[in-house]
Amino acid sequence: MAAAAGVPGALGTLRAGRARLVAAYCAGIGPGWRLPGSWTGLPVGPAIWARGWTPAAGGAAWRRGYSSEVKTEDELRVRYLEEENRGIVVLGINRAYAKNSLSKNLVKMLSKAVDALKSDKKVRTIIVRSDVPGIFCAGADLKERVKMHSSEVGPFVSKLRAVINEVGGTQRLPRAIGMSLAKELIFSARVLDGQEAKAVGLISHVLEQNQEGDAAYRKALDLAREFLPQGPVAIRVAKLAINQGMEVDLVTGLAIEEACYAQTVPTKDRLEGLLAFKEKRTPRYKGE
């Protein structure tokens, strides 16, 4: 999910402009999930992990999900939710045969989707989830990478960074959990379970899996609903202040915060918030 608060996690950030991002991690396979050195970052929203998978609830879906016949155009599913969830967009990764690893085609599709969402003022929150039971994302598609010429690797990584701007585990992981522990995890490629990942600050929530196998998604949806009523302008500048402030000293960070707040002063949303408070009603923000 692209959200207002910068919380560590393994997905990374989709820079979606006005939108907030919430990463819904599906059930993990085995006792834990791996932190690949090429795929550890800091999403701008909560990362959620659900433990365990119940085959009885979705065995047929599981088998269908692992078909290698998925068309490339179906590898990323974009769904605009309606009614009380209007403003929430779900990006579903659907590369079951490759464990949702990031191929050139998938990165291209993500880039196209994010570019479209950035300019859509009606989009308030994005949820990134796996449409494959038991899998979230295995990181870069190494089978594809090994076939790349060395001259192709650099441009591919640059394209990946353009879409998921928090790629860079050796730099971002130490900032999130400290240098010593980051070195330990990166050097060992250790597998962590959900509780361990939460304990060190890599994910925000750990849930027991439900019968439908979508506990993480449901939690992400609950969080997204909390984000929807908030002022788009305030969220946008808060996100900017957090992201930029994390990279500088406190004094500079406070200056960034002040500059960001100054951007809200002339907006209609700020006046609407004050008026709603005075009239004891729910604000009706328009992002203006």
Side-chain angles (χ1 to χ4, degrees):
M1 336 162 201
V7 183
L11 174 62
T13 301
L14 296 183
R15 189 181 291 278
R18 301 170 183 271
R20 285 156 280 172
L21 175 70
V22 175
Y25 291 78
C26 290
I29 289 183
W33 50 275
R34 185 174 299 276
L35 293 172
S38 62
W39 191 239
T40 48
L42 301 177
V44 187
I48 304 163
W49 190 86
R51 297 182 296 180
W53 164 248
T54 308
W62 174 281
R63 289 190 292 273
R64 287 196 302 271
Y66 273 88
S67 169
S68 61
E69 298 177 359
V70 175
K71 297 179 180 179
T72 55
E73 59 266 26
D74 293 330
E75 291 183 351
L76 182 69
R77 298 167 173 171
V78 182
R79 290 194 299 129
Y80 289 75
L81 304 189
E82 298 294 337
E83 299 177 352
E84 73 273 15
N85 297 322
R86 187 181 300 275
I88 301 173
V89 175
V90 179
L91 299 182
I93 304 174
N94 185 44
R95 293 193 77 220
Y97 66 96
K99 295 185 179 180
N100 282 352
S101 58
L102 296 167
S103 64
K104 289 189 292 186
N105 179 66
L106 181 55
V107 170
K108 180 180 178 181
M109 295 176 72
L110 281 166
S111 178
K112 184 178 180 180
V114 170
D115 285 343
L117 294 173
K118 282 193 296 187
S119 59
D120 190 341
K121 294 184 178 181
K122 295 180 180 180
V123 176
R124 299 292 306 281
T125 303
I126 300 169
I127 296 177
V128 178
R129 67 170 300 186
S130 168
D131 284 348
V132 181
I135 293 290
F136 182 67
C137 176
D141 188 335
L142 299 183
K143 290 183 178 179
E144 181 183 75
R145 180 78 66 86
V146 76
K147 298 176 183 178
M148 287 184 188
H149 188 273
S150 57
S151 62
E152 297 180 89
V153 176
F156 172 74
V157 173
S158 296
K159 181 69 173 178
L160 185 60
R161 287 181 184 276
V163 180
I164 306 164
N165 64 301
E166 302 294 347
V167 170
T170 63
Q171 300 304 303
R172 301 188 184 280
L173 193 60
R175 286 169 168 80
I177 65 176
M179 183 183 297
S180 296
L181 185 54
K183 285 182 177 179
E184 183 178 323
L185 295 180
I186 291 173
F187 295 170
S188 65
R190 182 178 303 157
V191 175
L192 304 179
D193 64 23
Q195 293 293 353
E196 291 171 327
K198 187 175 188 298
V200 300
L202 286 174
I203 56 178
S204 307
H205 302 275
V206 178
L207 309 169
E208 292 296 336
Q209 189 58 281
N210 57 21
Q211 289 293 315
E212 292 77 19
D214 64 352
Y217 171 66
R218 288 175 184 258
K219 177 64 176 179
L221 195 56
D222 287 342
L223 290 172
R225 292 191 188 106
E226 289 187 56
F227 300 159
L228 284 178
Q230 312 310 321
V233 175
I235 290 293
R236 185 163 65 249
V237 296
K239 177 179 175 180
L240 179 65
I242 292 169
N243 288 352
Q244 294 192 358
M246 287 294 292
E247 306 298 327
V248 298
D249 61 86
L250 179 59
V251 173
T252 306
L254 290 172
I256 291 173
E257 180 184 76
E258 185 176 351
C260 286
Y261 174 70
Q263 295 182 40
T264 71
V265 173
T267 64
K268 294 179 181 179
D269 274 6
R270 186 183 75 90
L271 296 178
E272 165 61 16
L274 293 173
L275 186 61
F277 178 79
K278 178 182 178 181
E279 297 175 353
K280 298 181 180 180
R281 60 172 174 82
T282 300
R284 295 183 289 270
Y285 296 119
K286 297 181 179 179
E288 301 174 354

